[in-house]
Amino acid sequence: MELNTIESQDVGTATERQPAAASAAKKVFVKTYGCQMNVYDSQRMTDALAADGYAPTDVIDEADLVLLNTCHIREKAAEKVYSELGRIRELKAERAGQGRDMLIGVAGCVAQAEGVEIIRRAPAVDLVIGPQTYHRLPDVLARARGGEKIVETDYAVEDKFEHLPQPRRAEVARRGVTAFLTVQEGCDKFCTFCVVPYTRGSEVSRPVAQIVAEAERLAEGGVREVTLLGQNVNAWHGVGENGEEWGLGRLLFRLAEIPGLARLRYTTSHPRDMDDELISAHRDLPALMPYLHLPVQSGSDRILKAMNRRHTARDYLALIDRIRAARADIAMSGDFIVGFPGETEADFEATLHLVREVGYGSAFTFKYSPRPGTPGAEMEGHLPEAVKDERLQRLQALINEQQRHFITSLVGRTISTLIEKPGRRPGQKVGRSPWLQPVIVDEKAGEIGDIIDVRITGTGPNSLFAETA
Ligand code: SAH
Ligand code: SF4
Ligand code: F3S
């Protein structure tokens, strides 16, 4: 499943069952909003909390701690947190009536961006913790249990990854055969619409040895497919085991050597950081899946400039030509913003034109949302909601058509599939295609974790039906 900036998603801990033996333990309910990096962070926070005696639960009513891991990317995403906090406040009051405490914590990008303002607007919140300080969570919680209201949004000087516990092997196994692994955090690009440089701070790459150790641990727990994450994942760099400076391409080759790891992906990339080595990896590294999320945001050079993307539409198309020359069957994915300040009908048509030129396998479309503190919010020429709506619909229609075209082109082909989990219907299992679509197969087709060849026999709205090849 592609989870690009989904506004609210009960993933990670909220959907996990708790170990039977932990009934006396304190319980934490985590709800995750936003991008894959938040999904990853929620897991790491759950691991830190497990070491502190909190078992995960997906039943909010029984939680001693409710943790919202939030997203600030668009206004709608940020506001959702406050309506959720309203509901949780009532639950907390109910619980207090029964003589039981419930702590409420807000983590993630809203926590970082709004800090103490959250407690002002929602006084039932006990702790606010920014993404750079998750390793301090047990300490923060101990203070919160003592009745203190806590806002922890400093940029920690110590490396949080160094201090966060790794999941136990059983926990890795329980999370499934695909996993996220954050290798890079933060962003120095300052696109004029975007809050990420303010909520996640400047670019930091995790060291090679740390990443390799974590990937090995995942593989030992049965993970077959790892997606490397970063706000600008292809800006990742580090000193490799040979003492040389490595880029993401080199790192991918290294990770592909780990026994058991059969599939690798990375997201999200910036067009300016696609170097030759990374492009070559798409040609020479079979484990690297032929799917690339490479957001362009707009097809108009004028708008790209106003967005501070620092490349043109032509640069982007030339880059895709190079990527396709390396790997012909690669499916491109992207993000688009419609209705950026000053976007004319001609600018928007340039975006439609670019989409037609590229032919996306999938893509995500967003209406521009002015964000406090970003240069875009201060620009002239904000567009009426109705114009943004209309453009969003037109772009969405074109992308849906391309997505449909891509999916139907797979019918009759034999493709590799990683069997991921039991299907919703009895007798079925669900796998994952190289291009991220769910593949529905007969449950006897293979065991979870197997990678098998299947023949595609038909399609659902965004899924594939297959029989053993
Ligand atoms: N680092 C990635 C994007 C991270 S944010 C990149 O540079 O491409 C994920 C997506 O959210 C962006 O690609 C953009 O399409 C969208 N987005 C970011 N800020 C937005 C805003 N203010 N309004 C609407 N969409 C936005
Ligand atoms: Fe935001 Fe631009 Fe950085 Fe992506 S590259 S996270 S859009 S500032
Ligand atoms: Fe949202 Fe923060 Fe991710 S703003 S998209 S959760 S980096």
Side-chain angles (χ1 to χ4, degrees), residues 194-213:
C194 185
V195 292
V196 170
Y198 312 97
T199 63
R200 294 280 177 162
S202 51
E203 272 176 29
V204 178
S205 293
R206 291 179 68 188
V208 173
Q210 223 185 58
I211 296 167
V212 170

Side-chain angles (χ1 to χ4, degrees), residues 81 92 120 135 137 167 172 178 191 208 245 253 327 350 380:
V81 175
K92 179 172 176 162
R120 268 195 215 114
H135 56 294
L137 196 52
V172 174
T178 62
C191 302
V208 173
E245 180 79 8
F253 275 99
R327 182 84 201 228
E380 307 270 299

Side-chain angles (χ1 to χ4, degrees), residues 4-5 73-74 187 191 193-196 230-232 268-271 293 295-297 309 335-337 364 366-371:
N4 188 59
T5 57
I73 202 86
R74 285 168 289 275
C187 181
C191 302
F193 52 81
C194 185
V195 292
V196 170
Q231 269 91 17
N232 258 318
T268 294
S269 319
H270 193 287
H293 185 69
V296 63
Q297 316 298 354
R309 294 292 290 185
D335 292 342
F336 293 90
I337 295 178
F364 300 86
F366 307 104
K367 277 191 286 182
Y368 173 69
S369 169
R371 307 304 293 127

Side-chain angles (χ1 to χ4, degrees), residues 234 268-272 274 292-296 309 316 319-320 323 332-335 360:
N234 53 345
T268 294
S269 319
H270 193 287
R272 284 177 58 88
M274 286 300 298
L292 179 58
H293 185 69
L294 194 64
V296 63
R309 294 292 290 185
Y316 180 78
L319 176 60
I320 289 186
I323 295 165
M332 295 304 305
S333 168
D335 292 342
Y360 285 92

Side-chain angles (χ1 to χ4, degrees), residues 65-78:
L65 167 65
V66 174
L67 201 53
L68 302 184
N69 193 6
T70 62
C71 174
H72 201 247
I73 202 86
R74 285 168 289 275
E75 190 182 356
K76 219 166 85 195

